[in-house]
Structures are given as C-alpha cells and as structure tokens.
Amino acid sequence: MTWPQQAGVLPRQAHCFQDRATAQLLEHASYGVDTVVHTQVLTGFGGVGKSQLAAHHARTLWQAGKLDLLVWVTAVTRDAVVTGYAQAAVEILGADPTNPETAARTFLAWLEPKPSTVRRWLVVLDDLADPADLRNLWPPDSTHGRTLITTRRRDAALTGNSRQLVPVGLFTDDEATAYLTAALAAHDRHEPTDQLSGLANDVGNLPLALSQAAAYLLDVGLDCATYRHRLTDRARTLTDVLPDRSGLPDDQATNVAATWSLSIECADQLPPAGLARPMLQLAAMLDPNGIPAAVLASPPALNHLAQHHNAAPGQTHPDEITDAEATQALRALNRLSLIDHNPSSPHHTVRVHQLLQRAVRDPLPADQHGRLARTAADALMAAWPEVERDTSLAQALRANTEVLTLHAEDALYQPDAHLVLARTGRSLGEAGQTTAAVHYFQQLATDTQHHLGHDHLNTLTARHHLAYWRGDAGDVAGAAAALEDVLADMDRIQGPDHPGTLIARHELAGFRGDAGDVAGAAAALEDVLADMERVLGPDHLNTLIARHDLAGFRGQAGDVAGAAAAFEQLLADRKRVLGPDHPDTLYARHSLASFRGDAGDVAGAAAALEDLLADIERVLGPDHLNTLIARHRLAGFRGQAGDVAGAAAAFEQLLADRKRVLGPDHPGTLATRHSLANLRGDAGDVAGAAAAFEQLLADRKRVLGPDHPDTLYA
C-alpha cells in the first residue's frame, strides 16, 4: 500500500469561495498528543456553506501533505455511513466488499491508535441527518486522526467527549458583497456596490442564496436593481426568482426554496410530533430578528398549534397544547437549525432567517395565509401589556407588528382592522415617539379608508388617533381642527351618544384648553361629563378621565382650591373603582399633589410626590412618561421650597433621561429645559438663563410653532 490514500469524492470547490473565519478556525486545529478536541461538528442553517468549508479544510490539509488518509462520507443515512466506511476498508485494507457491516467495523478498528503505526487521517462525515445514525459508528479518538462532521443538527449528542460544536453562520456584510462582486466580475458583469450590498441584505447574507441569485442574474440577463425589485414583488414566489434545476451553480442539488423541506419534516417528527411545522408557520409571519417568547406561548398561538398540528400515525394529542409542548416544538426547530431559540433573551427568543420565512409562507393557500396573519396578530395582542412597563418588550412587539403588516397584505383588514394596528400606534405615542405616532396614524387612516371606506368605524378611529397624537406632539391647533372634522363624521355615523363620539368631544375640549381657552375647555368638559355620566355611568373609566381633565382646567382657570377638592373626591372614586395601583389612580394622586403645591403647600406637595414617585416607578417603570412627569413636578417643588441646587441637579438628570427616552424635541424634554433655565436665573445666573431661553425659544418655534402657548411662555 502506498500512501497517502483518499476514499470518497470531495465536493468541487464553489466558484468564488470565501475564505472566512470558520475556515481559519479549522486550520488552526492541531494534531498531536496535546489535542483535546478530536471531533469538530460544523453545524448551522441549511445553505450557510458547511460542506464547502469542510471540503476546503480537507483539501487544504491534503494538498499540504498533512494527511496519510482522507475519507469523505456522505452521511445522510446510517446505511450511507456504513457504505462509506466499507468502501474505505475495501480500498485501503482489501476488505470483503460483500459484507459492508463487517468491512465498516474493520475500518473503524484500523483507525484505532496503535503504537507501531502512525497514520495521519481525517474522516469527514458530510450532511449528517440524525446523530443516532452514528451509534457505534463514531471514528475513535486518536492523537493522529480527526473527525469532521457537517450537520444541521444541534443535539447534545454531538458535543462532549472530545467533540466540539462549531457554529457556521451567515456571511458578514463584507463577505457577502465581496462574493457577489467576484461572482459577477468573473462573467464581466459589474454592478454598483450599493446595489450588491442591498441584494446581499435582501437575501440575508445566506451563501446558498447569494450563489443562486448571482446565477439567476447572469442567466436571465437582469441588472441587480431589477432583480431586487422582482425579489420583493409579492406576486412572485421565491422559486420564481431562483434558477431552475438546470441552472443551479456549483453542483447544487436544490434551490433555496426547497433546501429546508427535509429539515422541516424531520423537526415535525420530533416530539411533540406535528407541532414544529405550525410553529414555524406562525414564526414565518413575524420579525426574523427576534420574536418574544410571550407571543409564541400566548393562547392564540397555542390554539393555532392545537388546530393545525399533524400527529404521527397512531399518536393522539390532547385538545389543548401546553406552554411546555410549544417550547418543545421550538427546541425541535432549534435542533434542526431552522430557528435560533434563546430562552435567556425573552424579547428576542426566536430568530428565523428571512428566506426560510418566505419559503414557508409561499406555498400557503390564500385563505390559510390570511388566517395565519390574523392569528399572529391575535398572539401579539395577547402578549401586549396594557401598561408598557418594559420598553424593550414594547419595541419588540412593534417591530413584529411592522413585519406582520408587510406579510399580511390585506388580511389584517378583513373583516375589520385588527386591534394590533391601532395598538402599535398608541405604543409609539406612549413611548414618547409622538412624531412617529402621527406618521403611523396618518398611514393607518389612509390604509383603513382604502380597505374599509371613509365612513367605517375603524377609519374614524384611526382619524381620531391621528388628531390626538398631533396634539400630543405639539400641534394643538391642528389637532383641534382635525378632531372637529372627525367629530362631525362620528356624530353623523355613530350618533351623539356613541362612546367614541363622547371621547372625541372630550379630547377636543382638552386641546382647546391646551391652546389657551381654559374657560371654554372647562365649560365644554362640563357638558360632555354630563352626557358621559348619563350614557356610560359615573364609574366608567372615560367618565373618570373627563372628571380628571375638568378638575385640571378649573385649577388652571384659577380655582386651585376647587381643583384640589375635586381631585380628592376623584382619587377616592378611582381607588374604589380601579384600585390603588391603576395608572389613572396614580395620575390622580399626582394631580392632587400638584394643585396642593400650587395652592401654597409646597413642602406637602414635594413629600406627596416623593411617595407617589416610588409607587409610579414600581408600577409603570422608570422610563414611563408619567414617571418622568412626576420627577419633573417633584424637582420643581423642591426648587420652590428653596433647594435650588438640588432641583437643578434633579432637572439635569431628568433632562438626560427625557432626551434618551423621548428625544430632544419632545414637548416634555423642552419643558424640562424651560424649568432648568428658570432655576439658573433664580440662582443668579441671569445671563446663562437668558441664553438658554433664547435657544429654547428657537427650538419651540421650530417644533411647536410660533403661536403655541409654550412658545409664547418661553
């Protein structure tokens, strides 16, 4: 026997192969007595290039003369592994080819380290489908030999015992762009770099997708911009914009759309059988960059799994799916590298590649696609807390809704606009992103009118939200005018006693007061309050809110003592109806303390606000709008009580937090700058205060307009 020897055929190196960090990691693994890792397992999503990396590594060692034996085995089944071992035994040991099992065992025995013979070997088991297929077929640990496995599996059986799991990820942005540049340049095609990087982003930097996209571009004769347009065209499936079987590059067997089908089938057979596929379908509607665990474990998600799972033959499932079974389904998908499941990241627990999502969505019939979209919307609503204490969770839910809206097409407007659409806009506003909320509701009002008509209740609601957030963003006059328009339509379509009509009247009065007509606002609120008590009842949430605003405007009109008395009664009623920790109850405590301070009890107001602030932070969180407002009022009363330095320090910290949470142009941020400038003047720095007010005045004119009361105050 002459050495070196090779058994099995390595895949041909891919055109424009990218020598990335994983390849270098494999090359740095050494042979010798100090070697701890004898088996490396390249694992990752289908299409990331695991086989190419393994072949490149094997070829590099072979060409460098570092191997006496190289064995390449396609390991898709146990029989294939046995056949590969047996073939190696026949070629290098002269084993009997008629008994593959015996020949395979002979080969593994030959690999066992022997003091008399030193042979450097590498066995590559490519595309291992099931770790169980290697039972009693693992190559032995040897100081002179190594095993390299490629697989989509991430089972625990592949780690430990001198085995190292090596995750193979996507191309980096630079690698993806470099690949496309080289692949096209080889055919004398050159495209703008921004288009190539955009295409790489469109296909999620997946190596297999990049190679097939390049082949399609060349075969069909498209420029990159046109191809990207086709790729995002919802009327086309993923298969429509990929090469057919005859046009696949680099000896590839399937296109991207089909490459994951076997993995999905395998995951669906893992316990609990039949749940992985419907779970993946649900995840395919949501944000590929992170889906919160609460969404996929919500009652609508569990109902979806119960209705759509396909039990294995002879196996039955209970009518209800539990949280534990839903988590098992996620783990099954994770084991096949179809998703990344990270329970330690509750807001981004599940990540899914965007092309896999599309491959899962494309075959769905239109009616099933629509039901799935509304189920995903139901799941988001079920996970969405009424009080957004966790700002990271709220941001993740908004991101998921944005992606869902793109995929759902018109399903979220059948038969009515889904509640998640308005909830997303409210979430933006409640997070302090009032300008974003205005833009969001402008688009929602347009979309709702397009799908449902001008007079539909959902269209009126979207217009109502748009007007409200315009006012909250500082355009009080524009908000009042818009509310007048929508109120006229509400009165005509819904009638004067409809709750939505009453709320619009309430908010219109409030914006008039914010615009300076405090007495008119109080009079209008008295009228709407009487109607609310008649229609909704005295303990209804909206009735209590109207009482709150009426008391506030009375105080602003000069009746501070009357406002304080009204807030005392309101606070008692809210505690009785809503409980002491309801946000509206806390807000009534805040208003009561503020008016007591305005009435002259500055020390009492500061003490009450200190107690309140602890409860608000506990219930709403430190970054909630109402928490920031309470901090603002508390700092102001400290300054009035004589602690100018302490108040200034509190406003400085509050200003930093408001800029971070709300942004520099939010009215609350500008209000804190106003108070801070005032304190500088009170402390004797008159020139500094004047300079601060000059800058504030310019910003308020720009943001709020020259006639806004806050601008005039500055």
Side-chain angles (χ1 to χ4, degrees):
M1 175 64 66
T2 58
W3 301 95
Q5 290 287 319
Q6 178 180 334
V9 180
L10 275 67
R12 182 168 58 90
Q13 181 156 299
H15 182 54
C16 301
F17 174 81
Q18 295 290 299
D19 189 7
R20 42 187 170 151
T22 308
Q24 298 168 20
L25 176 66
L26 294 176
E27 290 171 13
H28 292 156
S30 60
Y31 294 90
V33 294
D34 295 329
T35 301
V36 176
V37 175
H38 299 281
T39 299
Q40 289 179 298
V41 181
L42 297 180
T43 181
F45 185 52
V48 294
K50 301 180 294 296
S51 296
Q52 277 293 320
L53 285 168
H56 174 76
H57 177 61
R59 190 175 288 112
T60 300
L61 293 178
W62 179 261
Q63 293 173 351
K66 295 182 179 180
L67 294 176
D68 298 309
L69 175 63
L70 170 60
V71 178
W72 184 279
V73 178
T74 301
V76 291
T77 64
R78 182 178 178 84
D79 286 345
V81 175
V82 170
T83 299
Y85 286 173
Q87 183 63 33
V90 169
E91 293 180 12
I92 67 173
L93 302 175
D96 181 1
T98 62
N99 193 335
E101 288 282 351
T102 300
R105 287 195 294 272
T106 301
F107 172 68
L108 291 174
W110 183 87
L111 293 179
E112 289 285 351
K114 300 172 181 64
S116 58
T117 306
V118 175
R119 295 294 181 197
R120 301 163 301 167
W121 54 264
L122 174 67
V123 173
V124 182
L125 301 172
D126 183 42
D127 200 15
L128 177 67
D130 188 346
D133 290 341
L134 290 185
R135 189 173 294 116
N136 299 320
L137 291 178
W138 284 89
D141 291 345
S142 171
T143 56
H144 305 295
R146 284 177 52 231
T147 303
L148 185 60
I149 297 174
T150 72
T151 181
R152 302 182 191 188
R153 301 289 290 256
R154 293 190 278 203
D155 302 56
L158 296 171
T159 60
N161 299 321
S162 74
R163 301 168 192 165
Q164 177 189 33
L165 210 63
V166 181
V168 180
L170 305 166
F171 277 161
T172 65
D173 291 342
D174 289 343
E175 289 169 345
T177 304
Y179 173 84
L180 285 174
T181 301
L184 296 176
H187 296 267
D188 201 27
R189 280 280 303 275
H190 303 280
E191 295 276 353
T193 302
D194 63 328
Q195 287 293 335
L196 293 178
S197 61
L199 175 56
N201 182 69
D202 292 342
V203 299
N205 289 359
L206 182 67
L208 183 66
L210 289 164
S211 67
Q212 294 184 5
Y216 188 90
L217 276 171
L218 294 167
D219 288 343
V220 181
L222 293 179
D223 62 83
C224 193
T226 303
Y227 178 70
R228 292 183 64 198
H229 177 73
R230 288 192 182 183
L231 191 64
T232 56
D233 183 358
R234 297 181 190 176
R236 302 174 189 267
T237 67
L238 192 56
T239 301
D240 293 335
V241 290
L242 293 173
D244 58 24
R245 188 177 181 85
S246 63
L248 292 173
D250 299 325
D251 300 326
Q252 294 165 8
T254 60
N255 67 26
V256 170
T259 194
W260 305 294
S261 58
L262 182 59
S263 293
I264 296 173
E265 290 178 15
C266 291
D268 213 34
Q269 293 169 8
L270 293 174
L275 294 188
R277 187 185 299 275
M279 178 64 86
L280 185 59
Q281 289 172 342
L282 185 60
M285 303 300 295
L286 298 167
D287 186 8
N289 297 311
I291 306 169
V295 174
L296 299 178
S298 65
L302 299 182
N303 289 338
H304 163 74
L305 296 181
Q307 293 168 10
H308 293 88
H309 81 273
N310 298 309
Q315 184 176 2
T316 60
H317 278 264
D319 292 336
E320 295 184 359
I321 302 299
T322 65
D323 290 359
E325 288 175 309
T327 300
Q328 273 189 284
L330 294 173
R331 296 308 298 171
L333 293 167
N334 186 78
R335 284 171 66 182
L336 270 296
S337 297
L338 291 164
I339 67 170
D340 285 323
H341 181 237
N342 183 9
S344 65
S345 178
H347 305 331
H348 301 89
T349 310
V350 172
R351 298 178 188 269
V352 198
H353 194 277
Q354 63 209 54
L355 288 189
L356 172 58
Q357 289 182 307
R358 183 167 178 181
V360 169
R361 291 193 309 269
D362 278 352
L364 296 175
D367 58 339
Q368 186 179 350
H369 182 278
R371 288 195 302 272
L372 190 63
R374 292 192 74 89
T375 296
D378 291 342
L380 288 167
M381 280 300 295
W384 215 312
E386 183 59 33
V387 177
E388 293 183 352
R389 190 181 191 284
D390 189 335
T391 55
S392 296
L393 173 60
Q395 186 175 10
L397 292 170
R398 292 195 299 268
N400 274 268
T401 306
E402 181 180 0
V403 172
L404 172 62
T405 303
L406 292 174
H407 298 328
E409 299 176 357
D410 61 349
L412 297 185
Y413 295 90
Q414 297 176 351
D416 301 307
H418 197 282
L419 291 174
V420 78
L421 297 172
R423 185 67 185 93
T424 302
R426 286 199 298 116
S427 176
L428 284 169
E430 291 165 3
Q433 300 179 46
T434 49
T435 301
V438 170
H439 293 319
Y440 179 89
F441 279 114
Q442 281 176 331
Q443 186 61 52
L444 182 60
T446 300
D447 292 342
T448 308
Q449 181 169 331
H450 169 74
H451 287 288
L452 301 174
H454 180 271
D455 288 348
H456 193 279
L457 176 62
N458 294 150
T459 305
L460 295 177
T461 302
R463 291 171 57 199
H464 183 175
H465 282 303
L466 172 58
Y468 175 83
W469 290 109
R470 280 182 68 179
D472 203 72
D475 183 9
V476 180
L483 269 175
E484 283 188 357
D485 288 342
V486 75
L487 184 57
D489 289 334
M490 284 180 163
D491 205 13
R492 172 177 57 85
I493 297 165
Q494 301 176 157
D497 286 345
H498 189 278
T501 307
L502 296 174
I503 293 172
R505 285 175 56 197
H506 170 196
E507 290 174 353
L508 177 57
F511 285 128
R512 284 175 175 166
D514 292 341
D517 185 9
V518 176
L525 277 171
E526 283 188 1
D527 289 341
V528 76
L529 179 59
D531 290 336
M532 281 185 169
E533 288 179 336
R534 173 178 55 82
V535 175
L536 304 177
D539 288 343
H540 192 277
L541 187 67
N542 290 338
T543 305
L544 298 174
I545 293 172
R547 285 175 57 191
H548 187 122
D549 289 351
L550 176 57
F553 282 123
R554 282 177 175 165
Q556 291 181 42
D559 185 8
V560 178
F567 276 120
E568 281 196 13
Q569 183 57 55
L570 175 64
L571 178 58
D573 289 339
R574 275 184 167 165
K575 283 182 178 177
R576 173 179 55 81
V577 176
L578 305 176
D581 282 346
H582 191 279
D584 287 356
T585 306
L586 299 175
Y587 192 34
R589 285 174 60 190
H590 172 270
S591 297
L592 176 58
S594 295
F595 276 110
R596 282 178 174 166
D598 293 340
D601 185 9
V602 176
L609 283 171
E610 280 192 7
D611 291 341
L612 172 64
L613 186 57
D615 289 335
I616 287 183
E617 288 184 338
R618 172 177 55 82
V619 175
L620 302 180
D623 289 343
H624 194 277
L625 275 176
N626 289 353
T627 306
L628 300 175
I629 292 170
R631 286 174 59 191
H632 183 107
R633 290 295 280 167
L634 176 56
F637 284 127
R638 282 178 175 163
Q640 291 180 42
D643 184 9
V644 176
F651 275 126
E652 289 275 6
Q653 182 58 55
L654 175 62
L655 180 58
D657 290 338
R658 275 189 153 164
K659 285 180 177 178
R660 172 178 57 83
V661 176
L662 307 177
D665 288 342
H666 188 274
T669 306
L670 300 176
T672 298
R673 286 173 57 191
H674 188 123
S675 297
L676 189 56
N678 259 335
L679 280 177
R680 283 179 177 165
D682 294 342
D685 183 10
V686 179
F693 272 121
E694 281 194 11
Q695 183 59 54
L696 175 64
L697 179 58
D699 290 337
R700 275 187 165 161
K701 282 181 178 178
R702 174 177 55 82
V703 175
L704 304 177
D707 294 332
H708 191 280
D710 288 350
T711 306
L712 301 175
Y713 189 36

